[in-house]
Amino acid sequence: MFLLFFKVIKCKAAVLWGLKQPFSIEEVEVAPPKAYEVRIKMLATGICHTDYDGTTGTMPARFPEVGGHEGCGVVESIGEGVTSMKPGDKVILLPVPQCGICSSCMHPTSNFCERIDITGRGVLREGTSRFTCKGKTVYNFMNSSTFSEYTVVDEVAAVKIDAAAPAEKVCVIGCGFSTGYGAAINTGKVHPGSTCVVFGLGGVGLSVVIGCKAAGASRIIGIDINPRKFERAKAAGATECINPKDYTKPISEVLKKMTNNSVDYTFEVTGNLDTMMDALASCHMNYGTSIIVGDPPAAATITFDPMLVFTGRTWKGCILGGWKTRDDLPKLVSDFMAKKFDLDHIITHVLPFDKIKDGFNLLHKGESVRTVLTF
């Protein structure tokens, strides 16, 4: 049994060989976990827009890579020193780890663990990858690499969850849902009776809507240039939805008139620089809070009028909803099991893993909110 656990595993994975290339299903070799690492048999993974950003250079990555970062699986084997999980445990993978010892993890309100990989290092803590394909090293993506039948991650980049939780649902708690829901609950601290505006109604945007509703917001305005998303947004809790293309005035002026200048919170969930400025200008000039949730383009800069914040606005960023992932995500899974929120609002398609290209096509065409791939 010991040898079974610590052999190299050959399996299928979606490999991205270079920038702006499609994912290719390949046979890869997945080496055993080293000290403080776990090898995981994947059960389900979501296709997040950040995965697409990794193919275009918007999100830094190291090629060739195994993509994916939003997943749920079962621990197959553990390396020396691993104490928080054992083979057979169901886990969620964590693109934002929680090492517990860095300055961010030690701070009570921070979750930006120093072990996060948003710069494209592509390796585990030990400094190497466990993937090889056709004799070449294949690198990790965002501490996770969930587009593989098996993956190896650092222990701090996974967490044990309720064994009864359905993997094809709770995998999205690994990133998309937690990011949006937490942006409202933790980062924005939306208060009852408030007016919220959500720019972008994809999977993360709908999760923001769900979070605003859970926090007691009385008015939740969804904004998107794809009106096909409006019905689902209203089902998730949006009180109304508008398309900026239907107006000639700046959207900030439209919202000011619609709300009698009373927008408490705005959430930018597209990663578009112009939309970030629109969202900032749309919240109240003195007491409004605007939160950047969408991934901004790598190496991009933004210029703004300082009067926008001088008058009292708050402008904030948000990493994975502000959750301390190993502490908080198992609780979110428990809340889902207790039916405190419904993930069906954001999961529109479930496909087998070998249909990954179809899943990305649905994303590009705007026909899906979140596609989940099952193994």
Side-chain angles (χ1 to χ4, degrees):
M1 183 66 70
F2 181 86
L3 292 177
L4 176 65
F5 278 174
F6 285 87
K7 67 180 182 180
V8 172
I9 290 177
K10 293 183 178 181
C11 67
K12 298 296 183 182
V15 177
L16 190 68
W17 291 102
L19 198 63
K20 297 184 180 179
Q21 295 185 21
F23 282 104
S24 174
I25 301 294
E26 307 277 6
E27 182 178 80
V28 300
E29 293 183 340
V30 185
K34 295 186 178 183
Y36 306 106
E37 297 173 359
V38 295
R39 186 161 61 182
I40 297 167
K41 176 179 173 59
M42 294 304 303
L43 299 175
T45 179
I47 295 179
C48 179
H49 199 279
T50 299
D51 298 316
Y52 173 68
D53 290 341
T55 73
T56 64
T58 301
M59 174 64 70
R62 188 175 181 181
F63 303 110
E65 67 161 27
V66 173
H69 68 285
E70 183 181 83
C72 178
V74 174
V75 175
E76 178 268 341
S77 57
I78 61 175
E80 180 182 358
V82 173
T83 59
S84 64
M85 60 194 78
K86 63 184 186 302
D89 285 342
K90 185 173 285 187
V91 295
I92 281 181
L93 286 81
L94 308 174
V96 178
Q98 185 184 350
C99 72
I101 58 174
C102 71
S103 60
S104 289
C105 286
M106 295 293 287
H107 193 279
T109 62
S110 172
N111 73 329
F112 195 80
C113 177
E114 293 177 3
R115 298 278 291 279
I116 190 173
D117 185 7
I118 59 173
T119 60
R121 295 191 307 271
V123 293
L124 303 181
R125 180 186 182 186
E126 180 266 351
T128 59
S129 166
R130 303 292 160 264
F131 292 111
T132 57
C133 181
K134 300 178 180 179
K136 297 181 178 180
T137 297
V138 179
Y139 295 98
N140 296 77
F141 182 65
M142 293 192 68
N143 304 98
S144 306
S145 290
T146 59
F147 291 167
S148 177
E149 292 175 326
Y150 287 85
T151 188
V152 177
V153 301
D154 292 314
E155 179 183 12
V156 297
V159 65
K160 180 181 176 181
I161 62 169
D162 186 343
E168 72 279 6
K169 303 286 188 183
V170 300
C171 64
V172 300
I173 291 178
C175 177
F177 176 77
S178 300
T179 296
Y181 188 75
I185 300 294
N186 297 326
T187 309
K189 293 181 171 53
V190 169
H191 64 270
S194 59
T195 295
C196 302
V197 180
V198 182
F199 289 77
L201 298 175
V204 178
L206 291 186
S207 300
V208 174
V209 170
I210 295 170
C212 291
K213 181 180 179 181
S218 61
R219 193 172 184 184
I220 305 170
I221 303 171
I223 299 180
D224 204 289
I225 59 174
N226 183 356
R228 289 180 294 177
K229 296 180 179 181
F230 292 172
E231 182 178 355
R232 186 171 288 269
K234 290 178 180 178
T239 54
E240 58 214 286
C241 296
I242 59 175
N243 184 344
K245 291 186 175 182
D246 292 337
Y247 301 90
T248 56
K249 292 183 178 180
I251 194 65
S252 58
E253 293 183 18
V254 173
L255 289 166
K256 183 176 181 179
K257 184 175 181 180
M258 284 178 62
T259 65
N260 193 27
N261 191 26
S262 64
V263 175
D264 298 281
Y265 305 94
T266 61
F267 299 86
E268 199 291 322
V269 202
T270 72
N272 181 283
L273 299 185
D274 290 337
T275 311
M276 291 177 191
M277 294 308 307
D278 287 339
L280 178 63
S282 296
C283 67
H284 191 274
M285 64 184 297
N286 179 247
Y287 59 73
T289 297
S290 186
I291 299 159
I292 297 174
V293 187
D295 295 333
T301 59
I302 194 167
T303 301
F304 71 100
D305 181 351
M307 285 298 292
L308 285 169
V309 292
F310 176 75
T311 55
R313 287 183 180 90
T314 299
W315 204 7
K316 305 180 73 172
C318 175
I319 290 290
L320 213 142
W323 305 105
K324 287 186 178 290
T325 51
R326 300 194 88 209
D327 291 343
D328 295 333
L329 265 56
K331 298 174 186 176
L332 282 180
V333 171
S334 296
D335 285 347
F336 167 74
M337 298 296 284
K339 302 185 185 306
K340 293 186 179 180
F341 51 79
D342 185 358
L343 295 174
D344 287 339
H345 289 305
I346 65 173
I347 299 173
T348 54
H349 298 78
V350 179
L351 301 174
F353 175 62
D354 61 3
K355 299 293 185 182
I356 185 171
K357 291 183 180 179
D358 293 341
F360 274 97
N361 285 336
L362 288 167
L363 175 67
H364 297 156
K365 293 177 182 178
E367 296 177 1
S368 68
V369 176
R370 183 62 104 242
T371 295
V372 170
L373 306 173
T374 57
F375 295 85

